[in-house]
Amino acid sequence: MPVGTQGTVKAVAQDVLESLGAEIILGNTYHLYLRPGHEAIRRMGGLHRFMSWPRALLTDSGGFQVFSLSSLRKVTDDGVRFRSHLDGSLHSFTPEHSVDVQIALGADACMAFDECTEYPADRARAQESLRLTMAWARRSLDHFRAHRHEVPWHDPQAFALNPAQSGVPQVSLLRPGIVPLSTQSLFAIVQGGMYRDLRRACAERLVEMDFDGYAIGGLSVGEPRELTLEMIAEVLPLLPKNKPRYVMGVGYPDEIEQYARMGVDMMDCVLPTRAARHGLLFTSEGRLNIKNKRYSEDQNPPDPACDCPVCRRYSRAYLRHLMQAGEALSGTLNTIHNLAYYLGIMQRVRAALEAGSSADAGRLILDT
Ligand SMILES: [Zn+2]
């Protein structure tokens, strides 16, 4: 999922995202709550309609941004109080409030409010964080079930961008056999720090609560990659195979391929978009820093093996020039290529899955 923090995948227009084959993008609850405000977006018919995105949307719970961006946060059993990173104003998120905001935004998939355990965290800290996350998951679910009908596109006609585009968007899922989402859904987030037994306990309890999908959170927070892999391998087999399984906040191109091959259906990461704006391109030949002087007269496309609109049309020399000149088009073109590269990885994994009987797919469906 490309990350569309503030109702936009930075530097790339929605029609381009569609043409690249993005089927679902992520919006950040914390940012949209602060600006322009979830009630304003509700009045605009929900985030799909507001940003003119007819495909699926997922919103995070806001918890991760509260913990990483805001100041003066105070966590209690009830929720978290924090100051806006924009103007210092005081706010609070409870599980109920986070769910209300996400319902107002009208995402296809919402996330239960959780506390993301930092790394490193000792066992007592991870345990306390886990206790909160599970209590908040229960409250999120109860509140969601009581209020999900308030979603702005509950009436499918209300979503119509124009008469030709009506209907509720659906999340297209990676693995065959998964029940498609036809209404708003709530995912739980497995926490537990880097402790395998805590992760297991959390996953088992959340599965008993019967959410629509499951995420593994609190990863890619600075831990070594082997540990990320170990936690995913520990938790994944405990999550229902007929529901989406989502690893949050990963990763590099080889990581997302590896996790998809393990049975992960969904991932999100700011890396392809953020790196692009800093001139870092992911290619079939490895990472390419377009700022490098060696590309100043290089007429090759950024990635000779890529058939994205940028690689079909522009040279490394031109992209380097745009970056050097500080042109807005630089971020746009770099981002389009990186997203095409990431989406291409997932498209290949999907194709291998659909091929089913091929030797490659045999490796893919590990059936953990
Ligand atoms: Zn390309």
Side-chain angles (χ1 to χ4, degrees), residues 48-60:
H48 291 94
R49 189 170 183 181
F50 180 54
M51 67 181 287
S52 190
W53 176 250
R55 297 183 182 172
L57 275 168
L58 180 143
T59 45
D60 63 1

PDB file of all heavy atoms in Angstrom, residues 48-60:
ATOM      1  N   HIS A  48     -12.646   8.804   0.476  1.00  0.00           N
ATOM      2  CA  HIS A  48     -12.643   8.389  -0.931  1.00  0.00           C
ATOM      3  C   HIS A  48     -13.108   9.537  -1.830  1.00  0.00           C
ATOM      4  O   HIS A  48     -12.470   9.880  -2.809  1.00  0.00           O
ATOM      5  CB  HIS A  48     -13.616   7.232  -1.175  1.00  0.00           C
ATOM      6  CG  HIS A  48     -13.219   5.923  -0.568  1.00  0.00           C
ATOM      7  ND1 HIS A  48     -13.673   5.531   0.662  1.00  0.00           N
ATOM      8  CD2 HIS A  48     -12.455   4.922  -1.028  1.00  0.00           C
ATOM      9  CE1 HIS A  48     -13.191   4.332   0.932  1.00  0.00           C
ATOM     10  NE2 HIS A  48     -12.442   3.928  -0.074  1.00  0.00           N
ATOM     11  N   ARG A  49     -14.248  10.067  -1.447  1.00  0.00           N
ATOM     12  CA  ARG A  49     -14.855  11.084  -2.290  1.00  0.00           C
ATOM     13  C   ARG A  49     -14.067  12.391  -2.223  1.00  0.00           C
ATOM     14  O   ARG A  49     -13.874  13.064  -3.239  1.00  0.00           O
ATOM     15  CB  ARG A  49     -16.300  11.300  -1.826  1.00  0.00           C
ATOM     16  CG  ARG A  49     -17.075  12.161  -2.769  1.00  0.00           C
ATOM     17  CD  ARG A  49     -18.529  12.155  -2.402  1.00  0.00           C
ATOM     18  NE  ARG A  49     -19.297  12.935  -3.341  1.00  0.00           N
ATOM     19  CZ  ARG A  49     -20.593  13.124  -3.261  1.00  0.00           C
ATOM     20  NH1 ARG A  49     -21.271  12.561  -2.279  1.00  0.00           N
ATOM     21  NH2 ARG A  49     -21.214  13.850  -4.148  1.00  0.00           N
ATOM     22  N   PHE A  50     -13.626  12.745  -1.018  1.00  0.00           N
ATOM     23  CA  PHE A  50     -12.884  13.994  -0.809  1.00  0.00           C
ATOM     24  C   PHE A  50     -11.636  14.027  -1.696  1.00  0.00           C
ATOM     25  O   PHE A  50     -11.341  15.022  -2.353  1.00  0.00           O
ATOM     26  CB  PHE A  50     -12.509  14.100   0.673  1.00  0.00           C
ATOM     27  CG  PHE A  50     -11.744  15.339   1.040  1.00  0.00           C
ATOM     28  CD1 PHE A  50     -12.225  16.600   0.725  1.00  0.00           C
ATOM     29  CD2 PHE A  50     -10.543  15.244   1.743  1.00  0.00           C
ATOM     30  CE1 PHE A  50     -11.526  17.752   1.085  1.00  0.00           C
ATOM     31  CE2 PHE A  50      -9.838  16.378   2.101  1.00  0.00           C
ATOM     32  CZ  PHE A  50     -10.326  17.638   1.770  1.00  0.00           C
ATOM     33  N   MET A  51     -10.897  12.909  -1.713  1.00  0.00           N
ATOM     34  CA  MET A  51      -9.656  12.888  -2.501  1.00  0.00           C
ATOM     35  C   MET A  51      -9.850  12.264  -3.878  1.00  0.00           C
ATOM     36  O   MET A  51      -8.886  12.120  -4.631  1.00  0.00           O
ATOM     37  CB  MET A  51      -8.531  12.183  -1.729  1.00  0.00           C
ATOM     38  CG  MET A  51      -8.734  10.696  -1.504  1.00  0.00           C
ATOM     39  SD  MET A  51      -7.373   9.931  -0.558  1.00  0.00           S
ATOM     40  CE  MET A  51      -6.062   9.910  -1.794  1.00  0.00           C
ATOM     41  N   SER A  52     -11.085  11.903  -4.187  1.00  0.00           N
ATOM     42  CA  SER A  52     -11.406  11.282  -5.460  1.00  0.00           C
ATOM     43  C   SER A  52     -10.583  10.019  -5.705  1.00  0.00           C
ATOM     44  O   SER A  52      -9.830   9.904  -6.670  1.00  0.00           O
ATOM     45  CB  SER A  52     -11.204  12.269  -6.625  1.00  0.00           C
ATOM     46  OG  SER A  52     -11.733  11.705  -7.808  1.00  0.00           O
ATOM     47  N   TRP A  53     -10.737   9.078  -4.796  1.00  0.00           N
ATOM     48  CA  TRP A  53     -10.039   7.796  -4.887  1.00  0.00           C
ATOM     49  C   TRP A  53     -11.074   6.684  -4.834  1.00  0.00           C
ATOM     50  O   TRP A  53     -11.616   6.384  -3.770  1.00  0.00           O
ATOM     51  CB  TRP A  53      -9.018   7.652  -3.736  1.00  0.00           C
ATOM     52  CG  TRP A  53      -8.333   6.328  -3.709  1.00  0.00           C
ATOM     53  CD1 TRP A  53      -8.507   5.333  -2.790  1.00  0.00           C
ATOM     54  CD2 TRP A  53      -7.344   5.838  -4.632  1.00  0.00           C
ATOM     55  NE1 TRP A  53      -7.706   4.258  -3.088  1.00  0.00           N
ATOM     56  CE2 TRP A  53      -6.982   4.544  -4.213  1.00  0.00           C
ATOM     57  CE3 TRP A  53      -6.755   6.374  -5.784  1.00  0.00           C
ATOM     58  CZ2 TRP A  53      -6.031   3.772  -4.895  1.00  0.00           C
ATOM     59  CZ3 TRP A  53      -5.811   5.604  -6.461  1.00  0.00           C
ATOM     60  CH2 TRP A  53      -5.458   4.324  -6.017  1.00  0.00           C
ATOM     61  N   PRO A  54     -11.381   6.081  -5.984  1.00  0.00           N
ATOM     62  CA  PRO A  54     -12.483   5.116  -6.010  1.00  0.00           C
ATOM     63  C   PRO A  54     -12.079   3.716  -5.545  1.00  0.00           C
ATOM     64  O   PRO A  54     -12.928   2.838  -5.459  1.00  0.00           O
ATOM     65  CB  PRO A  54     -12.890   5.099  -7.480  1.00  0.00           C
ATOM     66  CG  PRO A  54     -11.643   5.457  -8.219  1.00  0.00           C
ATOM     67  CD  PRO A  54     -10.839   6.345  -7.318  1.00  0.00           C
ATOM     68  N   ARG A  55     -10.795   3.515  -5.291  1.00  0.00           N
ATOM     69  CA  ARG A  55     -10.377   2.169  -4.854  1.00  0.00           C
ATOM     70  C   ARG A  55     -10.288   2.137  -3.321  1.00  0.00           C
ATOM     71  O   ARG A  55     -10.711   3.058  -2.655  1.00  0.00           O
ATOM     72  CB  ARG A  55      -9.051   1.815  -5.525  1.00  0.00           C
ATOM     73  CG  ARG A  55      -9.206   1.752  -7.039  1.00  0.00           C
ATOM     74  CD  ARG A  55      -7.929   1.324  -7.724  1.00  0.00           C
ATOM     75  NE  ARG A  55      -8.133   1.327  -9.177  1.00  0.00           N
ATOM     76  CZ  ARG A  55      -7.154   1.151 -10.046  1.00  0.00           C
ATOM     77  NH1 ARG A  55      -5.915   0.944  -9.636  1.00  0.00           N
ATOM     78  NH2 ARG A  55      -7.413   1.151 -11.340  1.00  0.00           N
ATOM     79  N   ALA A  56      -9.701   1.075  -2.802  1.00  0.00           N
ATOM     80  CA  ALA A  56      -9.746   0.860  -1.354  1.00  0.00           C
ATOM     81  C   ALA A  56      -8.796   1.783  -0.587  1.00  0.00           C
ATOM     82  O   ALA A  56      -7.767   2.225  -1.100  1.00  0.00           O
ATOM     83  CB  ALA A  56      -9.422  -0.600  -1.051  1.00  0.00           C
ATOM     84  N   LEU A  57      -9.185   2.040   0.655  1.00  0.00           N
ATOM     85  CA  LEU A  57      -8.403   2.863   1.579  1.00  0.00           C
ATOM     86  C   LEU A  57      -8.292   2.148   2.918  1.00  0.00           C
ATOM     87  O   LEU A  57      -9.257   1.533   3.373  1.00  0.00           O
ATOM     88  CB  LEU A  57      -9.133   4.174   1.852  1.00  0.00           C
ATOM     89  CG  LEU A  57      -8.966   5.361   0.916  1.00  0.00           C
ATOM     90  CD1 LEU A  57     -10.021   6.406   1.269  1.00  0.00           C
ATOM     91  CD2 LEU A  57      -7.572   5.951   1.067  1.00  0.00           C
ATOM     92  N   LEU A  58      -7.146   2.270   3.526  1.00  0.00           N
ATOM     93  CA  LEU A  58      -6.976   1.792   4.899  1.00  0.00           C
ATOM     94  C   LEU A  58      -6.490   2.971   5.731  1.00  0.00           C
ATOM     95  O   LEU A  58      -5.677   3.762   5.262  1.00  0.00           O
ATOM     96  CB  LEU A  58      -5.949   0.651   4.926  1.00  0.00           C
ATOM     97  CG  LEU A  58      -5.626   0.015   6.284  1.00  0.00           C
ATOM     98  CD1 LEU A  58      -5.397  -1.497   6.124  1.00  0.00           C
ATOM     99  CD2 LEU A  58      -4.393   0.630   6.935  1.00  0.00           C
ATOM    100  N   THR A  59      -7.036   3.110   6.934  1.00  0.00           N
ATOM    101  CA  THR A  59      -6.503   4.133   7.833  1.00  0.00           C
ATOM    102  C   THR A  59      -5.852   3.464   9.025  1.00  0.00           C
ATOM    103  O   THR A  59      -6.335   2.437   9.509  1.00  0.00           O
ATOM    104  CB  THR A  59      -7.607   5.074   8.359  1.00  0.00           C
ATOM    105  OG1 THR A  59      -8.736   4.301   8.758  1.00  0.00           O
ATOM    106  CG2 THR A  59      -8.025   6.080   7.292  1.00  0.00           C
ATOM    107  N   ASP A  60      -4.752   4.038   9.495  1.00  0.00           N
ATOM    108  CA  ASP A  60      -4.150   3.547  10.739  1.00  0.00           C
ATOM    109  C   ASP A  60      -4.955   4.120  11.910  1.00  0.00           C
ATOM    110  O   ASP A  60      -5.875   4.904  11.713  1.00  0.00           O
ATOM    111  CB  ASP A  60      -2.662   3.918  10.799  1.00  0.00           C
ATOM    112  CG  ASP A  60      -2.439   5.420  10.825  1.00  0.00           C
ATOM    113  OD1 ASP A  60      -3.434   6.185  10.820  1.00  0.00           O
ATOM    114  OD2 ASP A  60      -1.278   5.831  10.840  1.00  0.00           O
TER     115      ASP A  60
END
